[in-house]
């Protein structure tokens, strides 16, 4: 349960936007919009708030950046952007000049707290940075991460000092003692750890919480440490001895944040919809502050102790810390956006959210029109009727209903009930008469959109139905499900038409092209698939996303397909499947995408709590692309080398780069890499770091920046197996930097190594035609019908197929001899002689066939020794058995005698009469099991073995070691 609740909390940190009338911030400032975005609705969810040291400002860590507010008026002063993930934590330096922020993108950024200028980025954590804190003297910054570690940094230079390890779960909170000597850390492993802040030595572990510890705070005199936990309690500890002082109970849910007042007399704690104030000495509950409508994620006292700020997902409340009186609310922050939909005329945008509401926005001005209230669970989907008069909204379990609204007045028309689990998707038929709904109860329901009457239920999916969509003519309904399939239904009769299979994970979204000819489906397998909507055949798969595809939508003219995934939207040519461009700006998953009716705007809703409107009218500038060249190449033979160039096109102000190249170690081995000529002369090429299946390349220049196209580096591999594989450049692992230290992630393109076309004569498909293929043909002699050994496809495997395989051997006779000796499976001399006789009797003049006879003759020669010989046994030394190889130049009666060192006969191996041939393989060589004639194991020591073959005799030595 603990793991599930913790994961839920992480997910709940991001939710839909709650734009509430009468707020101080009526319209979210359009600051620092991502490139290509013309408007943003919502300011993102709130994760943490902190007062500046002088009490004049509030810093808010949000899902889209760091907001700075005037602490007295509530006015937005600035928005710091640059993190590519949600900002989890913020901390002011003691002198107030610097602000640190930790993010889901695994980095810490330092900012000029006054101007918002980015100072530097600290990298090294291998998981989301959940907490940051300055030491009291400002010299050190601590960061806690989901990678279970704490890192200490030099706050001036950004240099990594040391890493503190010991927690067995993610570290959620870090806090310095007032004298800076001790660092406290709280973790999902249910403990608090105390560390020597100078040496990093672990002092002690505080145990007692029964679930994750989310917050730690020292009292101003440093004598007491408070910890808040998911178990709903606050524990007070003696900060010197670690002794448990008392437990404060009474919160209605998990305690996310604890904070002492500046004089140390009061402790504030944030929980489910409330803040509690406690007497910090006695633990007595003073009062409860209520008004928040969801989890209170953060509490912070002003430096003078007069005001308490509290942050929930969607609002900040300021309170009189003495009386508990509510002073003001700062609103406009937002949470998880599940669905967006344009009205048919494009004037209105509807959004459904995790705050149980539907919001209507003026799509041109971005003005909030109204909020539709009535749902009691998250709103998963919204859809306008074709005439724009009605809006449908579907909600999550336990409510599991559909509401119909008058889209003009916002009045509730009726409620449609019947689903027993969450309603994930709603869609009107093109004539507006029918509404379809897909649910977690594995069914689709069709409703009369005018009366709300249930028409029928469509059953067949074996798991949750995530998406439903009508074809443009209304005859067909498509549904996508967690059972990895798309189903097509007759929309009139409800009859199942066909099932489209191919996705390997949940199908999240389905959408018809405007002409109805094509169906698009997006899946958790990171792909988009295009299908012929009439016959259900797979047209093509669109690849490039590195995370699940949550939503797909065609442009009104059908030329473009948009797909939403983790932090990005991709636009594709709907006809060719070519990737057009990537829209980046969201910091979390893009759950819904919708084109405006004129196709000029794309709306995207994300679990970062915002809706972005993308301007699709300007001609986009060419993106920077880092790619591998050649993009596709046929694999050479084993042992040969392949060199790829790491190229860049449309580079902008590039002063350095870092790229991680992934390769298939079963196909390639790394040889070397070299610097390219792209960076200015004198650039420093950092030695490549090779680990497992990755090679990290990096270089930097101090002489300036480069623009345009060129080669960053070359990388060489050796082929260890001839097979198809991909050389991968993951976008997140390719970083370009300019001379000021700003970083970007360009688009990336992989390289494909293809397998050479298979020869028909390569029966076992190992890339080479050799004795093994010859043996496989022989083992299939006489078989008819479809058979891989039927080389000439005449319906029967016979001597012709075998001779054609022989013809595909190398041009020398040495190769067959080598193969026959090394392989455990190989023909005997008698086999080859019989094949030759049969082939010659056919008297075929085909050149390939004649070449095959020549190779068989060479193979026969290689299997005909020029002299009889006894060869070394193997293994040697041995225990308990060995094989004794030999060869016969003439037929003979063969025996092998084994003697002890004193000449005593130990064992006689009578092999009988043997024909001319090579007896090297284990299947043909003589075998001794290390026992004497009585069946007893012989002792360790030296033995001699003698081969007798007609008039030939030879002796060798062997060794048994036990």
């Amino acid at each position: 349960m603990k793991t599930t609740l913790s994961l839920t909390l992480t997910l709940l940190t991001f939710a839909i936007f709650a734009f509430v009338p009468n707020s101080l911030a009526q319209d979210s400032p359009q600051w620092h919009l991502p490139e290509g975005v013309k408007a943003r609705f919502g300011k993102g969810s709130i994760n943490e708030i902190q007062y500046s040291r002088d009490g004049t400002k509030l810093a808010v860590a949000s899902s889209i950046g760091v907001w700075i507010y005037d602490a007295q008026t509530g006015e937005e002063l600035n928005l710091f952007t640059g993190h590519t993930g949600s900002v989890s934590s913020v901390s002011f330096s003691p002198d107030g000049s610097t602000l640190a922020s930790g993010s889901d993108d695994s980095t810490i950024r330092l900012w000029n707290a006054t101007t918002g200028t980015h100072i530097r980025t600290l990298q090294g954590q291998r998981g989301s940075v959940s907490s940051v804190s300055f030491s009291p003297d400002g010299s050190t910054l601590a960061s806690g991460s989901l990678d279970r570690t704490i890192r200490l940094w030099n706050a001036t230079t950004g240099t990594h000092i040391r890493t503190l390890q010991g927690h067995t779960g993610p570290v959620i909170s870090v806090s310095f003692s007032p004298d800076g000597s001790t660092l406290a850390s709280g973790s999902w492993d249910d403990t608090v750890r105390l560390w020597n802040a100078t040496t990093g030595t672990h002092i002690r572990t505080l145990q007692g919480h029964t679930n994750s510890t989310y917050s730690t705070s020292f009292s101003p005199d440093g004598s007491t440490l408070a910890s808040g936990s998911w178990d709903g309690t606050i524990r007070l500890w003696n900060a010197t001895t670690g002794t448990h002082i008392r437990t404060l109970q009474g919160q209605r849910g998990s305690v996310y944040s604890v904070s002492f007042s500046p004089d140390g007399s009061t402790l504030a704690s944030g929980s489910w919809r409330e803040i509690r104030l406690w007497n910090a000495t006695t633990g007595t509950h003073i009062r409860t502050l209520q008004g928040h409508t969801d989890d209170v994620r953060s509490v912070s006292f002003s430096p003078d102790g007069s005001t308490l700020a509290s942050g929930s997902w969607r609002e900040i409340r300021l309170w009189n810390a003495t009386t508990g009186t509510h002073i003001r609310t700062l609103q406009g922050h937002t949470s998880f956006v599940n669905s967006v939909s344009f009205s048919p005329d494009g004037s209105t945008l509807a959004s459904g959210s995790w705050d149980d509401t539907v919001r209507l926005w003026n799509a041109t001005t971005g003005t909030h029109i109204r909020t539709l209230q009535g749902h009691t669970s998250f709103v998963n989907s919204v859809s306008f009727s074709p005439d724009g008069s009605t809006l449908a909204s579907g909600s999550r379990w336990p409510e599991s209903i559909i509401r119909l609204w008058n889209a003009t007045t916002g009045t509730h028309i009726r409620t449609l009930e019947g689903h027993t689990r969450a309603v994930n998707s709603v869609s009107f038929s093109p004539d507006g008469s029918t509404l379809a709904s897909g649910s977690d109860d594995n069914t689709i329901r069709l409703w009369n959109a005018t009366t709300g009457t249930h028409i029928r239920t469509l059953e067949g999916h074996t798991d949750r139905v995530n998406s439903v969509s009508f074809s443009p003519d209304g005859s067909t309904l498509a549904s996508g499900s967690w059972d990895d399939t798309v189903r097509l239904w007759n929309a009139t009769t409800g009859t199942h038409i066909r099932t489209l299979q191919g996705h390997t994970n949940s199908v999240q979204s389905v959408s018809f092209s405007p002409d109805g000819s094509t169906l698009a489906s997006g899946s958790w397998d990171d792909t988009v698939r295009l299908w012929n909507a009439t016959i259900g055949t797979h047209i093509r798969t669109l690849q490039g996303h590195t995370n699940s595809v949550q939503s797909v939508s065609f442009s009104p003219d059908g030329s473009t397909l948009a797909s939403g995934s983790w932090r990005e939207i991709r636009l594709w040519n709907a006809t060719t499947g070519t990737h057009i461009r990537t829209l980046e700006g969201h910091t979390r998953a893009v759950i819904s995408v919708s084109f405006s009716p004129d196709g000029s705007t794309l709306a995207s809703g994300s679990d970062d709590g915002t809706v972005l409107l993308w301007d699709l009218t300007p001609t986009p500038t060419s993106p920077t692309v880092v790619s591998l060249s050649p993009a596709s190449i046929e694999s050479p033979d084993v042992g040969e080398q392949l060199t790829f160039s790491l190229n860049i096109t449309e580079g902008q102000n590039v002063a350095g780069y870092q790229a991680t190249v992934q390769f298939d170690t079963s196909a390639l081995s790394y040889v070397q890499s070299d610097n390219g000529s792209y960076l200015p002369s004198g650039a420093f090429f950092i030695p490549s770091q090779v680990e497992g299946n990755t090679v990290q390349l990096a270089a930097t220049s101090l002489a300036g920046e480069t623009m345009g196209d060129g080669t960053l580096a070359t990388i060489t591999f050796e082929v260890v197996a001839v097979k198809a594989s991909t050389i991968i450049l993951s976008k997140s692992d390719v970083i370009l930097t300019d001379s000021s230290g700003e970083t970007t992630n360009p688009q990336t393109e992989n390289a494909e190594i293809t397998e050479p076309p298979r020869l028909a004569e390569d029966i076992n498909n190992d890339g080479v035609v050799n004795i093994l293929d010859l043996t496989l043909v022989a083992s299939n002699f006489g078989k008819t019908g479809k058979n891989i050994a039927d080389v000439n496809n005449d319906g029967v495997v016979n001597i012709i197929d075998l001779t054609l395989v022989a013809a595909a051997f190398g041009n020398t006779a040495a190769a067959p001899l080598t193969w026959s000796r090394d392989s455990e499976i190989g023909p005997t001399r008698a086999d080859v002689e019989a094949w030759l006789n049969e082939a010659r009797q056919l008297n075929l003049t085909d050149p390939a066939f004649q070449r095959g006879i020549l190779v068989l003759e060479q193979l026969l020669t290689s299997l005909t020794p020029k002299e009889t010989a006894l060869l070394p046994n193997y293994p040697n030394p041995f225990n308990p058995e060995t094989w004794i190889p030999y060869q016969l130049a003439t037929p003979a009666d063969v025996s092998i005698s084994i003697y002890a060192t004193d000449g005593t006969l130990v064992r006689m191996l009578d092999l009988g009469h043997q024909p001319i041939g090579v007896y090297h393989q284990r299947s043909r060589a003589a075998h001794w099991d290390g026992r004497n004639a009585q069946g007893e194991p012989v002792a360790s020591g030296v033995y001699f073995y003698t081969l007798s073959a007609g008039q030939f005799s030879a002796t060798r030595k062997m060794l048994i070691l036990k």
Side-chain angles (χ1 to χ4, degrees):
M1 174 64 73
K2 176 172 67 180
T3 302
T4 302
L5 291 175
S6 300
L7 178 58
T8 303
L9 174 64
T10 302
L11 294 174
L12 290 179
T13 304
F14 321 99
I16 168 173
F17 45 88
F19 192 106
V20 180
N22 302 319
S23 66
L24 289 176
Q26 289 296 320
D27 288 312
S28 172
Q30 303 300 303
W31 291 337
H32 304 291
L33 293 177
E35 183 179 356
V37 173
K38 58 185 179 182
R40 177 198 295 122
F41 300 164
K43 299 197 295 185
S45 57
I46 298 169
N47 295 319
E48 186 177 63
I49 54 175
Q50 288 289 328
Y51 269 99
S52 61
R53 299 296 175 172
D54 61 6
T56 62
K57 299 174 184 175
L58 275 173
V60 178
S62 85
S63 58
I64 66 169
V66 181
W67 287 94
I68 305 296
Y69 288 91
D70 184 301
Q72 300 302 314
T73 66
E75 177 188 0
E76 299 100 336
L77 301 178
N78 210 337
L79 172 64
F80 300 172
T81 61
H83 283 295
T84 58
S86 177
V87 180
S88 307
S89 180
V90 287
S91 179
F92 281 98
S93 62
D95 64 4
S97 64
T98 305
L99 180 74
S101 59
S103 167
D104 282 355
D105 65 10
S106 304
T107 70
I108 301 117
R109 285 190 169 230
L110 300 181
W111 315 83
N112 181 302
T114 303
T115 65
T117 305
H118 172 238
I119 301 172
R120 64 178 51 88
T121 299
L122 313 184
Q123 295 178 306
Q125 302 275 195
R126 296 187 176 181
S128 300
V129 178
S130 52
S131 182
V132 290
S133 179
F134 279 97
S135 62
D137 65 0
S139 64
T140 305
L141 180 73
S143 61
S145 169
L146 297 193
D147 67 8
R148 304 181 180 184
T149 70
I150 301 116
R151 287 194 170 224
L152 301 182
W153 313 82
N154 182 303
T156 304
T157 65
T159 308
H160 171 237
I161 301 172
R162 64 178 51 87
T163 299
L164 314 184
Q165 296 178 306
H167 280 296
T168 58
V171 178
I172 305 302
S173 174
V174 290
S175 178
F176 281 95
S177 61
D179 65 0
S181 64
T182 305
L183 180 73
S185 57
S187 167
W188 279 10
D189 64 11
D190 310 348
T191 70
V192 177
R193 286 189 169 233
L194 300 182
W195 314 80
N196 182 303
T198 303
T199 65
T201 307
H202 173 238
I203 301 172
R204 62 178 53 86
T205 299
L206 312 184
Q207 295 179 306
H209 283 299
T210 59
N211 214 315
S212 304
T213 305
Y214 267 87
S215 181
T216 54
S217 179
F218 282 94
S219 61
D221 65 1
S223 64
T224 305
L225 177 72
S227 58
S229 168
W230 185 275
D231 65 12
T233 70
I234 302 144
R235 287 192 165 234
L236 300 182
W237 315 81
N238 182 301
T240 304
T241 65
T243 307
H244 173 238
I245 301 172
R246 63 178 51 87
T247 299
L248 312 184
Q249 296 177 306
Q251 301 274 194
R252 292 191 296 167
S254 304
V255 179
Y256 300 111
S257 180
V258 290
S259 180
F260 282 95
S261 61
D263 64 4
S265 64
T266 305
L267 180 72
S269 60
S271 182
W272 172 246
R273 297 187 174 183
E274 67 177 25
I275 303 103
R276 288 198 171 214
L277 301 182
W278 313 81
N279 183 300
T281 304
T282 65
T284 308
H285 172 236
I286 301 172
R287 65 177 50 88
T288 299
L289 313 183
Q290 295 180 314
H292 285 291
T293 58
D294 45 38
D295 286 339
V296 178
R297 306 280 302 155
S298 181
V299 290
S300 178
F301 281 95
S302 61
D304 64 5
S306 64
T307 306
L308 178 71
S310 58
S312 63
W313 294 334
R314 291 170 288 145
E315 65 181 17
I316 301 157
R317 287 187 169 237
L318 302 181
W319 314 81
N320 183 301
T322 304
T323 64
T325 307
H326 173 238
I327 301 172
R328 66 174 56 89
T329 300
L330 313 184
Q331 294 177 317
H333 281 280
T334 50
S335 47
F336 203 107
V337 179
N338 291 321
S339 180
V340 292
S341 179
F342 276 100
S343 61
D345 64 3
S347 64
T348 305
L349 183 73
S351 59
S353 84
W354 267 30
D355 68 356
D356 309 344
T357 68
V358 178
R359 284 182 169 75
L360 301 181
W361 310 83
N362 183 302
T364 304
T365 65
T367 307
H368 173 240
I369 300 172
R370 62 177 52 86
T371 299
L372 312 184
Q373 295 177 311
H375 282 292
T376 59
S377 288
F378 306 156
V379 178
N380 284 336
S381 181
V382 291
S383 180
F384 281 96
S385 62
D387 65 2
S389 63
T390 305
L391 180 72
S393 56
S395 70
R396 186 166 294 190
W397 184 86
E399 185 181 52
S400 307
I401 64 170
I402 301 148
R403 283 189 167 238
L404 300 183
W405 313 83
N406 182 301
T408 304
T409 64
T411 307
H412 172 237
I413 301 172
R414 62 178 51 85
T415 299
L416 313 184
E417 297 179 297
H419 283 296
T420 58
R421 301 291 292 175
V423 179
N424 296 320
S425 179
V426 289
S427 178
F428 281 94
S429 62
D431 63 4
S433 64
T434 304
L435 180 73
S437 56
S439 167
D440 277 1
D441 63 14
N442 303 356
T443 71
I444 301 130
R445 288 192 167 229
L446 300 182
W447 314 81
N448 183 302
T450 304
T451 64
T453 307
H454 171 239
I455 301 172
R456 62 177 52 87
T457 300
L458 312 184
E459 296 180 311
H461 281 296
T462 58
D463 210 329
R464 291 176 272 181
V465 179
N466 295 319
S467 179
V468 291
S469 178
F470 280 96
S471 61
D473 64 2
S475 64
T476 305
L477 181 72
S479 56
S481 167
W482 274 64
D483 64 13
D484 309 346
T485 71
V486 178
R487 285 190 170 233
L488 300 181
W489 313 81
N490 183 300
T492 304
T493 65
T495 308
H496 172 239
I497 301 172
R498 62 179 53 88
T499 299
L500 313 184
Q501 295 178 306
H503 282 296
T504 58
N505 211 323
S506 171
V507 179
Q508 295 296 104
S509 180
V510 291
S511 179
F512 281 96
S513 61
D515 65 1
S517 64
T518 306
L519 179 72
S521 56
S523 166
W524 270 20
D525 64 12
D526 307 349
T527 70
V528 179
R529 284 189 167 236
L530 300 182
W531 314 83
N532 182 301
T534 304
I535 59 177
T537 53
H538 172 240
I539 301 172
R540 63 177 52 87
T541 299
L542 312 185
Q543 295 178 306
H545 286 296
T546 57
N547 210 304
S548 56
V549 179
Q550 301 285 347
S551 180
V552 291
S553 180
F554 282 94
S555 61
D557 64 2
S559 64
T560 305
L561 179 73
S563 56
S565 181
W566 180 253
R567 297 180 181 171
E568 70 174 20
I569 301 147
R570 286 193 168 228
L571 300 181
W572 313 84
N573 181 302
T575 304
T576 65
T578 307
H579 172 237
I580 301 172
R581 59 178 162 140
T582 300
L583 310 180
E584 296 177 305
H586 285 294
T587 60
R588 301 287 296 177
V590 179
I591 306 299
S592 180
V593 289
S594 178
F595 282 93
S596 62
D598 64 2
S600 65
T601 304
L602 180 72
S604 57
S606 167
D607 64 8
D608 67 10
T610 67
V611 174
L612 297 180
L613 298 186
W614 303 85
D615 188 352
L616 302 184
T617 51
T619 302
T621 56
S622 299
T624 299
V625 179
V626 173
S627 61
L628 288 163
S629 177
S632 179
I633 189 172
E634 185 177 293
S635 176
D637 291 336
V638 172
E640 294 191 28
Q641 293 187 346
L642 278 173
T643 297
F644 293 90
S645 297
L646 185 69
N647 295 332
I648 182 172
T649 57
E650 300 293 338
Q652 302 292 322
N653 305 317
V654 180
Y657 73 89
Q658 175 180 308
T660 300
V661 180
Q662 299 180 38
F663 63 97
D664 183 350
T665 54
S666 68
L668 304 170
S669 66
Y670 171 77
V671 177
Q672 68 179 43
S673 52
D674 298 289
N675 195 14
S677 58
Y678 183 74
L679 295 178
S681 177
F684 176 63
F685 186 62
I686 300 169
S688 303
Q689 301 294 314
V690 184
E691 184 175 345
N693 69 332
T694 65
V695 180
Q696 189 173 87
L697 308 174
T700 185
S701 168
L702 301 178
E705 300 172 329
T706 304
M707 306 280 286
D709 306 343
T711 298
L712 297 171
T714 59
I715 182 168
T716 301
F717 300 96
E718 181 177 309
V719 177
V720 297
V722 178
K723 59 183 292 190
S725 65
T726 304
I727 313 295
I728 299 173
L729 276 177
S730 174
K731 178 174 181 177
S732 60
D733 292 331
V734 178
I735 301 171
L736 302 178
T737 181
D738 62 19
S739 56
S740 66
E742 287 289 336
T743 61
T744 58
N745 295 101
Q747 293 185 21
T748 56
E749 294 178 359
N750 301 329
E752 300 291 337
I753 299 175
T754 60
E755 192 171 337
R758 177 186 173 277
L759 293 173
E761 295 83 3
D762 182 11
I763 309 301
N764 64 353
N765 199 25
D766 64 355
V768 61
V769 180
N770 58 22
I771 200 72
L772 298 178
D773 302 296
L774 205 65
T775 305
L776 286 172
V777 174
S779 67
N780 282 276
F781 263 17
K783 292 184 179 180
T784 60
K786 187 174 181 61
N787 192 305
I788 195 170
D790 183 12
V791 176
N792 64 350
N793 291 314
D794 63 354
V796 61
V797 180
N798 55 25
I799 190 62
I800 298 177
D801 302 299
L802 185 140
T803 310
L804 290 175
V805 169
F809 274 25
N811 292 322
T812 66
L817 177 60
T818 301
W819 289 323
S820 68
R821 288 183 178 178
D822 290 345
S823 174
E824 280 303 307
I825 302 174
T828 66
R829 181 180 180 279
D831 292 332
V832 178
E833 193 168 37
W835 296 342
L836 259 175
N837 290 334
E838 188 175 352
R840 287 168 176 158
Q841 289 173 11
L842 292 179
N843 200 26
L844 297 178
T845 59
D846 178 72
F849 188 81
Q850 288 300 312
R851 172 173 166 75
I853 289 178
L854 177 61
V855 172
L856 289 175
E857 290 172 344
Q858 294 169 340
L859 181 57
L860 181 62
T861 300
S862 72
L863 294 174
T864 305
K866 293 182 179 180
E867 59 182 18
T868 298
L870 175 63
L871 304 174
N873 67 303
Y874 61 91
N876 188 21
F878 66 95
N879 176 31
E881 58 184 347
T882 189
W883 282 262
I884 302 171
Y886 60 94
Q887 60 189 40
L888 301 177
T890 59
D893 292 326
V894 178
S895 66
I896 294 179
S897 303
I898 300 168
Y899 299 93
T901 54
D902 61 0
T904 303
L905 178 66
V906 175
R907 182 78 173 271
M908 168 75 75
L909 304 178
D910 188 356
L911 304 180
H913 190 78
Q914 301 289 341
I916 297 170
V918 176
Y919 298 85
H920 294 178
Q921 306 104 319
R922 291 191 180 196
S923 58
R924 308 193 71 205
H927 171 250
W928 182 40
D929 59 6
R931 296 176 182 271
N932 60 22
Q934 288 73 43
E936 302 165 335
V938 301
S940 296
V942 176
Y943 294 82
F944 295 90
Y945 59 99
T946 299
L947 171 69
S948 297
Q951 301 301 314
F952 177 86
S953 179
T955 301
R956 285 180 175 271
K957 183 171 64 175
M958 67 173 70
L959 176 65
I960 297 178
L961 287 179
K962 295 186 177 179

